[in-house]
Amino acid sequence: MLNRDWLTRLRLRWGVHPLGRKEQGNREGILTLPLPSRLHVPMLQHTGQPAKPRVTVGQRVRKGEMIAARQGNISAPVHAPTSGTVIAIGDYPAPHPSGLPVLTVSIDCDGLEEWVDLDPPSDPFALAPEALAAKVAEAGIVGLGGATFPSAVKMALGLRTQVRTLLVNGSECEPYLSCDDRLMRERAAAIVDGMNLIRHAVGAETILCGIEDNKPEALAAMREAAAPFPHIALRRLPTRYPMGSDRQLIQVLTGREVPSDGRSADVGVLVHNVATCYAVHEALRYGRPLISRIVTVAGGAVRAPRNVEALIGTPARYLVEQCGGLSGESARLVMGGPMMGLELASLDVPVIKGSSGILALDASELPSATPSPCIRCGQCVTACPMNLMPFEMSARIRTGALDEAVGMGLKDCLTCGACSYVCPAHIPLSHYFNYARGELTRRERNTLRQESIRKLVAERSERLERDAREKAEAAARRKAERERAKAEADAARAAKAAAKAAEESSA
Amino acid sequence: MVAVLSLTGLGLLLGLGLGVAAKFLRVEQEDGRIAEVEALLPGSQCGQCGFPGCAPAAAALVAGAAPVTLCPPGGRDLVEKLAALLGVEADTAGMAETVPMLAIIEETQCIGCTKCFKVCPTDAVIGATRQVHNVLREACTGCGKCVDVCPTLAISLEPVPATLQSWTWHKPPRELPVLNAPLSTAGASC
């Protein structure tokens, strides 16, 4: 085993080793938070289309009741995290660096925690794989590692492409975060059951679970829980960032590389996070939808950092208050991990399905230096897990040559931030890549919009032409009618005159 | 002698052929470029460039009678594309970053005169006589034609509001060269 680790370390030429600081939060057990007075449940907590509210203001909802249905193929429903009354459906600040509002259902909790009638299958293993995926979709489960991709869609894809191996991601490579660590230590049996259920739902043969070697207790707990199942193998991974990225995890665990334009299913594997496995277990064994998650509350400005189990929609401020509150001023608030998490403008935003952590960092935990010019040292190239050249790409993006940056592999970038972390010149490399990708999407959207507008213009000119033509035709018709009437009148007059003349002549 | 004559004759014949072909080809080329430029332009015929529509503007661009920066709705992207296509240098540094605009009708001032929806090139304004008009966001290009004809100044152009789906990261500020940077700022990281 030791030999294997040593080989892996030698083989992997990417990644960085940020200071873990996981001991801040992983010493104490998971604290189930007391019920807050009000919850704000956003309709967009997943990748894809937002969910559509199915409740009205003033309506009473029970815990676990579906309050919003999914829209489109890639979407997930949202459930009431507790029983209470819907007091508002409208815009509320999203947990996002932009601070923009998102459609949110606000619920006043009544404190009764009254569940809807749960209907768990008596034996989920007796159900067809498709039926299991449908139940997972109904439960609103999304990837809890941070990507928040609807799990049922992924499971259906795995079944369709006949994956052989289910990879379970327990690496938790982001510094500070220890929610998966505590979950594995305390609820290993449930996670293992969830793994087996997903294995059944995707028709995989073996399960490979990777856990970084900075979590020995979690690894031991999982080994014990998985001992009765010969098809589950647990692997100790070297601690390195970004080990938790699916492409890197697949590379380390299976030795296979996912093609640049492909998905993990193309190499016969499917990756799910340990927390997702736990949510699947809850949904299929007890019928409970995804209404809560484990969140790491940490950072130098938090008095008593620890992991809490919070209902979706709980204000971040409430979480921090329950962990002793802030000691002095926090220099930066982050949702998620410090490497890839999103900066928050304030704590008055709700916890969502993808919130693995709420961090209140103090000034000593932030980089203090200002950016200086690139010295082309190449450290970012060594650190890049996708073998890209971040310094070359950022130079092109700075001058606006986005197409050249795309040619150098911008679309393969994970925006993991390893390059920004090692850069001795403190250049915000991954910020450049985030900007460039946003800009490219914007341009794509613009092109589509221009096409639709061109169509509108063409339709309008066609309509105007048709109108003019019809008007001209109508005018011509009227003119012809007038002339005919005139000719008829003339003819009648002439006939009359002729008759008169004839009368006169005969007389 | 025969060889000299035949080669001279051949040269003259081919030269004539080339001359004729060049005349035809030049016309083809010119047309093709106008069509290409027109495809790049927004196509809303808004007239902000001073030409009656996008096709005359494209013709003027190809003829070199108009600068590549003529189209306000196209923004910086369009200027770069046009400059690349026409092979001219474009000075985009002075150009302000344009934001997409949207026409907004102030309901309390609208008298339902229908003037605005008669001029809208994309049929983005809906309404009827003596009914309050409104703007379809998806169809509005922000060309401003309706603003000019509104008799009660009820229409204004506003930037398209950002949503979570349309929001993107801003460009990082350009890093400045640091001269004699104090040592204490180097090497500090999180």
Side-chain angles (χ1 to χ4, degrees), chain A residues 453 457 460, chain B residues 41-57 70-75 78 119-122 140-149 157:
Chain A
I453 279 167
V457 171
R460 178 185 152 91
Chain B
L41 295 174
S44 56
Q45 326 288 357
C46 68
Q48 285 182 68
C49 51
F51 291 95
C54 294
L70 88 173
C71 180
L78 178 70
V119 296
C120 179
T122 55
C140 178
T141 59
C143 71
K145 274 191 161 180
C146 49
V147 178
D148 299 338
V149 297
L157 285 184

Side-chain angles (χ1 to χ4, degrees), chain A residues 369-389:
Chain A
T370 47
S372 53
C374 175
I375 54 167
R376 303 173 82 81
C377 65
Q379 283 194 50
C380 52
V381 181
T382 319
C384 180
M386 297 304 288
N387 298 323
L388 303 175
M389 293 197 288

Side-chain angles (χ1 to χ4, degrees), chain A residues 464-485:
Chain A
L464 289 180
E465 260 170 40
R466 198 181 56 231
D467 282 358
R469 203 174 53 236
E470 276 169 7
K471 224 178 231 172
E473 274 169 12
R477 220 174 24 247
R478 273 200 304 277
K479 197 179 171 195
E481 232 156 63
R482 259 200 320 274
E483 271 168 10
R484 206 177 58 233

Side-chain angles (χ1 to χ4, degrees), chain A residues 21-174:
Chain A
R21 307 208 197 202
K22 292 190 186 261
E23 68 291 342
Q24 277 193 7
N26 72 0
R27 294 220 178 99
E28 284 180 77
I30 299 167
L31 170 79
T32 304
L33 285 187
L35 194 66
S37 59
R38 191 166 289 176
L39 299 173
H40 301 281
V41 190
M43 295 295 104
L44 185 61
Q45 305 184 36
H46 46 263
T47 313
Q49 291 288 315
K52 192 172 184 167
R54 280 285 182 82
V55 288
T56 50
V57 175
Q59 185 179 335
R60 182 164 192 279
V61 289
R62 287 190 290 169
K63 190 174 178 133
E65 193 176 325
M66 188 173 80
I67 55 171
R70 66 188 159 130
Q71 289 190 101
N73 284 336
I74 300 179
S75 184
V78 178
H79 300 79
T82 185
S83 58
T85 315
V86 175
I87 51 157
I89 300 173
D91 284 344
Y92 193 80
H96 193 260
S98 66
L100 285 169
V102 64
L103 186 63
T104 304
V105 172
S106 303
I107 298 172
D108 240 349
C109 312
D110 60 10
L112 301 173
E113 296 269 38
E114 187 192 338
W115 275 91
V116 281
D117 308 318
L118 298 177
D119 175 32
S122 53
D123 179 13
F125 285 105
L127 289 176
E130 292 84 3
L132 280 189
K135 288 217 173 291
V136 168
E138 272 169 41
I141 296 174
V142 300
L144 295 178
T148 64
F149 189 80
S151 299
V153 180
K154 213 163 156 180
M155 282 158 73
L157 176 80
L159 190 65
R160 217 170 35 244
T161 52
Q162 296 180 324
V163 297
R164 295 169 58 84
T165 313
L166 171 68
L167 287 197
V168 178
N169 189 351
S171 53
E172 198 168 51
C173 58
E174 279 263 10

Side-chain angles (χ1 to χ4, degrees), chain A residues 79-278:
Chain A
H79 300 79
T82 185
S83 58
T85 315
V86 175
I87 51 157
I89 300 173
D91 284 344
Y92 193 80
H96 193 260
S98 66
L100 285 169
V102 64
L103 186 63
T104 304
V105 172
S106 303
I107 298 172
D108 240 349
C109 312
D110 60 10
L112 301 173
E113 296 269 38
E114 187 192 338
W115 275 91
V116 281
D117 308 318
L118 298 177
D119 175 32
S122 53
D123 179 13
F125 285 105
L127 289 176
E130 292 84 3
L132 280 189
K135 288 217 173 291
V136 168
E138 272 169 41
I141 296 174
V142 300
L144 295 178
T148 64
F149 189 80
S151 299
V153 180
K154 213 163 156 180
M155 282 158 73
L157 176 80
L159 190 65
R160 217 170 35 244
T161 52
Q162 296 180 324
V163 297
R164 295 169 58 84
T165 313
L166 171 68
L167 287 197
V168 178
N169 189 351
S171 53
E172 198 168 51
C173 58
E174 279 263 10
Y176 292 86
L177 300 188
S178 53
C179 50
D180 289 350
D181 181 11
R182 281 317 306 193
L183 188 72
M184 286 189 282
R185 287 197 216 180
E186 295 177 30
R187 302 176 194 175
I191 296 172
V192 169
D193 184 56
M195 289 181 191
N196 283 327
L197 286 165
I198 297 178
R199 169 175 171 259
H200 178 58
V202 300
E205 286 161 24
T206 53
I207 300 176
L208 258 177
C209 175
I211 298 169
E212 277 190 352
D213 56 12
N214 60 359
K215 292 180 271 293
E217 299 93 340
L219 185 65
M222 289 292 283
R223 280 234 161 95
E224 200 189 323
F229 305 102
H231 55 262
I232 301 180
L234 282 137
R235 292 279 163 76
R236 195 164 65 139
L237 301 170
T239 299
R240 184 176 304 201
Y241 180 86
M243 188 61 80
S245 154
D246 57 353
R247 281 160 195 264
Q248 278 55 48
L249 192 74
I250 292 167
Q251 189 195 7
V252 173
L253 283 179
T254 70
R256 275 172 282 187
E257 200 172 335
V258 182
S260 161
D261 53 352
R263 279 181 285 215
S264 56
D266 294 341
V267 292
V269 299
L270 200 66
V271 186
H272 277 286
N273 185 268
V274 283
T276 315
C277 295
Y278 177 74

